[in-house]
Amino acid sequence: MLHKTYLAQTINRLTNGQQRGDEYLEQLQAEMTGAVLVQGDPEYDVARRGWNLNVDQHPAVIALVQSAADVVAAVRYARQTGLGIAIQSTGHGVARAADDALLIVTAGLRNVQIDEGMATARVEAGAVWGDVLAKAQRAGLAPLLGSSPNVGVMGYTLGGGMGWLARKYGMALDSVLAFEVVTPDGRLVRASARENSELFWGLRGGGGALGIVTAMEINLYPVTTVYGGNLFYPASLAKAVLTRYRDWVQTLPDAMTTSVVLMNYPPIPAIPEPLRGQTMVIVRGCYAGDVAEGQRLIDEWRTWRAPQIDAFGVMPFSEVASISMDPVDPMPSQHTGAWLSGLSDDAIAALVRGGVPQDGPLPLVFIELRHAGGAIARHDSGAFSHRDGVFNLFINGVTPTPEARAAFTQHTDAIKAHLQPVMTGGVYLNFLAGEEVQQRTQAGFSAEAYARLIALKAALDPTNRLAYSYDIRPA
Ligand SMILES: Cc1cc2nc3c(=O)[nH]c(=O)nc-3n(C[C@H](O)[C@H](O)[C@H](O)COP(=O)(O)OP(=O)(O)OC[C@H]3O[C@@H](n4cnc5c(N)ncnc54)[C@H](O)[C@@H]3O)c2cc1C
């Protein structure tokens, strides 16, 4: 009974030696439809793993919830035993390892219902965006997913959610109508503009620090065909492309959401020729409107310089994942970012120096600048802040070892030091990973929003039981 011993030790430590963990654990298992796992159970090692393999967490208990009632039971158990609560859907965005905590895994809560007439969806907490996209597209509708359909709907939305329709319709959290949420004291409530409106405000940006969302209702939009894709230019044109991109985005209508990427394709068989092992500068985007107008905007690039590879064209929105071609399989991923107020010539030079290899490989895979503005800037929902940022910087690396992680951090810190004059000081928390999420939580919000969040946190979660998400400490 290795797992019982481990559990008893953990709970004894966390509850000052009170011998009551096993009794409550049995009660939890009896109440839950889903499984409860502790170390030693055969499924424990699979269940504790997330998409990001850099996270190696050892929860005291894992609750594989299958209903809102299971979540209520799990939260009661955490309160009885004194355990902290961590929440995981896919593990794409783990802020802090759930060591010695109760890990609530929502992957079994995956139901998606579309209301075609109302153009809305009710989405359970463990769904991934691909689930919603497939069902919504059958009804001629689109959700505000991001670059990867494998990312979970909930972590993505609670942190913001910037996808290929963002300039037209806003961040994903701007389209939330209501949340069903279990509060840290174990009540299942609804949060919307009319019910528990302060919690509704806080969840939209403050996310997993305030409650365990079991489902949400969102607006969908009539998008079925877009003009989207990538123009690949050689790395030798990196400076020229970034400079042209800076000027071009100022002319764009809100229907066009774009980014520019300095991409170092790894020399591995999974990457097709002629990209394998190459560095490219990519203009990437999605025009949600009259495709002829989308083509006209992209033709401006084709006329400027013919791209080495032209993969921009008319496409069904159901294939939006082909724009970013994000990795699907779990991997050790590290990322960081910052909001930028614009791009100076010096900033462009720093990005090219940091993102295009000069003498040997770099400790990063890509630097992406996503163009914001449009509906992102016009909306004002929730605690989410920094809507005036012009570019959202996202830097990604594959970091399987501590040395690789250290090299990534050193290199990206140096890039950010050079970008200081164009950095607003704000960060987009969804584009940070690991420790940096907690270290920089405050920079994710305006001073006013952060003050309001810590007051809300004090009312909802005074002992900070939900301490494994953003670092929002009770006021
Ligand atoms: C390959 C890749 C592509 C990405 N593309 C984009 C993109 O295009 N745009 C963008 O904005 N972001 C993007 N992201 C960032 C992504 O939005 C975050 O990593 C997000 O946190 C992932 O959510 P998840 O639910 O899948 O992850 P998880 O790791 O399961 O959850 C992340 C956090 O969200 C909170 N959370 C999850 N479920 C709940 C719940 N039910 N109740 C309360 N809190 C909860 C918890 O705090 C949890 O720690 C991408 C990330 C990756 C790795």
Side-chain angles (χ1 to χ4, degrees):
M1 297 302 282
L2 171 70
H3 64 278
K4 291 257 175 183
T5 313
Y6 174 83
L7 181 70
Q9 282 168 356
T10 304
I11 289 172
N12 284 348
R13 184 152 44 83
L14 294 168
T15 59
N16 300 323
Q18 294 168 57
Q19 303 269 342
R20 52 185 194 177
D22 282 358
E23 173 197 333
Y24 288 125
L25 191 67
E26 278 164 25
Q27 187 189 342
L28 174 64
Q29 181 65 90
E31 282 176 5
M32 269 186 50
T33 321
V36 177
L37 306 173
V38 292
Q39 198 163 51
D41 285 336
E43 307 88 354
Y44 175 89
D45 277 329
V46 176
R48 72 184 179 86
R49 227 180 64 161
W51 180 86
N52 193 337
L53 300 179
N54 276 340
V55 179
D56 180 24
Q57 53 191 358
H58 291 86
V61 180
I62 304 176
L64 303 178
V65 296
Q66 298 211 323
S67 65
D70 280 1
V71 177
V72 171
V75 171
R76 186 187 316 123
Y77 169 75
R79 287 166 62 79
Q80 286 165 333
T81 54
L83 292 177
I85 300 173
I87 315 158
Q88 186 165 303
S89 158
T90 67
H92 275 79
V94 179
R96 173 179 163 194
D99 291 331
D100 297 335
L102 165 69
L103 178 64
I104 296 180
V105 176
T106 60
L109 271 173
R110 212 162 156 171
N111 190 33
V112 175
Q113 287 166 288
I114 306 290
D115 185 329
E116 196 174 334
M118 296 295 289
T120 59
R122 179 182 179 278
V123 184
E124 287 190 340
V128 298
W129 277 115
D131 300 339
V132 190
L133 180 65
K135 285 197 171 176
Q137 285 282 278
R138 269 181 245 136
L141 296 166
L144 300 186
L145 78 163
S147 54
S148 164
N150 303 97
V151 165
V153 297
M154 211 51 82
Y156 169 91
T157 302
L158 297 174
M162 186 174 183
W164 286 119
L165 301 175
R167 280 175 40 83
K168 183 154 185 182
Y169 297 115
M171 305 292 284
L173 51 67
D174 296 323
S175 283
V176 178
L177 300 167
F179 293 107
E180 294 158 39
V181 53
V182 177
T183 56
D185 61 359
R187 290 172 298 124
L188 176 61
V189 301
R190 204 178 142 81
S192 69
R194 281 193 302 276
E195 305 135 291
N196 298 298
S197 57
E198 187 65 6
L199 176 58
F200 184 53
W201 173 85
L203 286 168
R204 289 172 298 159
L210 299 173
I212 301 107
V213 179
T214 56
M216 65 178 175
E217 288 164 27
I218 53 173
N219 277 323
L220 303 172
Y221 300 94
V223 178
T224 49
T225 304
V226 294
Y227 196 77
N230 294 266
L231 300 178
F232 296 81
Y233 289 97
S236 55
L237 286 178
K239 184 177 165 214
V241 169
L242 260 62
T243 307
R244 185 169 198 285
Y245 181 78
R246 169 185 66 191
D247 302 335
W248 180 65
V249 293
Q250 292 181 28
T251 69
L252 293 180
D254 294 354
M256 183 67 113
T257 301
T258 65
S259 76
V260 65
V261 190
L262 297 170
M263 175 69 81
N264 296 299
Y265 286 103
I268 55 172
I271 305 294
E273 291 286 6
L275 297 175
R276 189 179 306 152
Q278 298 299 311
T279 298
M280 307 294 283
V281 53
I282 306 168
V283 177
R284 173 176 278 184
C286 175
Y287 185 84
D290 175 12
V291 291
E293 176 59 9
Q295 175 169 350
R296 190 192 66 73
L297 292 166
I298 294 303
D299 280 347
E300 293 173 11
W301 282 93
R302 296 175 171 125
T303 310
W304 174 70
R305 296 270 164 91
Q308 190 173 325
I309 303 170
D310 188 337
F312 234 112
V314 178
M315 59 187 275
F317 190 70
S318 56
E319 288 173 17
V320 64
S322 66
I323 299 180
S324 295
M325 296 165 286
D326 279 341
V328 174
D329 294 331
M331 58 188 290
S333 174
Q334 185 68 23
H335 33 271
T336 186
W339 281 110
L340 307 186
S341 56
L343 276 179
S344 61
D345 290 345
D346 284 350
I348 289 173
L351 289 167
V352 173
R353 261 197 322 275
V356 177
Q358 320 289 328
D359 326 297
L362 293 173
L364 55 77
V365 177
F366 68 81
I367 299 179
E368 180 169 21
L369 282 175
R370 295 196 186 185
H371 179 220
I376 300 172
R378 280 198 305 276
H379 280 286
D380 187 24
S381 8
F384 184 76
S385 306
H386 306 312
R387 290 175 183 273
D388 55 347
V390 176
F391 296 108
N392 199 349
L393 172 72
F394 183 35
I395 312 182
N396 177 272
V398 177
T399 55
T401 62
E403 294 74 31
R405 286 193 280 284
F408 175 86
T409 305
Q410 194 184 5
H411 187 71
T412 54
D413 280 354
I415 296 173
K416 286 186 276 183
H418 289 293
L419 294 178
Q420 207 68 40
V422 294
M423 278 165 42
T424 67
V427 293
Y428 177 50
L429 291 169
N430 268 0
F431 282 175
L432 307 185
E435 282 172 10
E436 198 186 4
V437 177
Q438 292 219 324
Q439 286 164 358
R440 306 220 55 206
T441 291
Q442 208 165 331
F445 302 96
S446 67
E448 192 188 24
Y450 191 73
R452 194 168 155 188
L453 274 175
I454 59 175
L456 179 60
K457 176 83 173 174
L460 283 168
D461 187 18
T463 60
N464 200 10
R465 197 171 299 287
L466 294 176
Y468 295 79
S469 172
Y470 300 153
D471 188 15
I472 298 171
R473 304 211 185 149

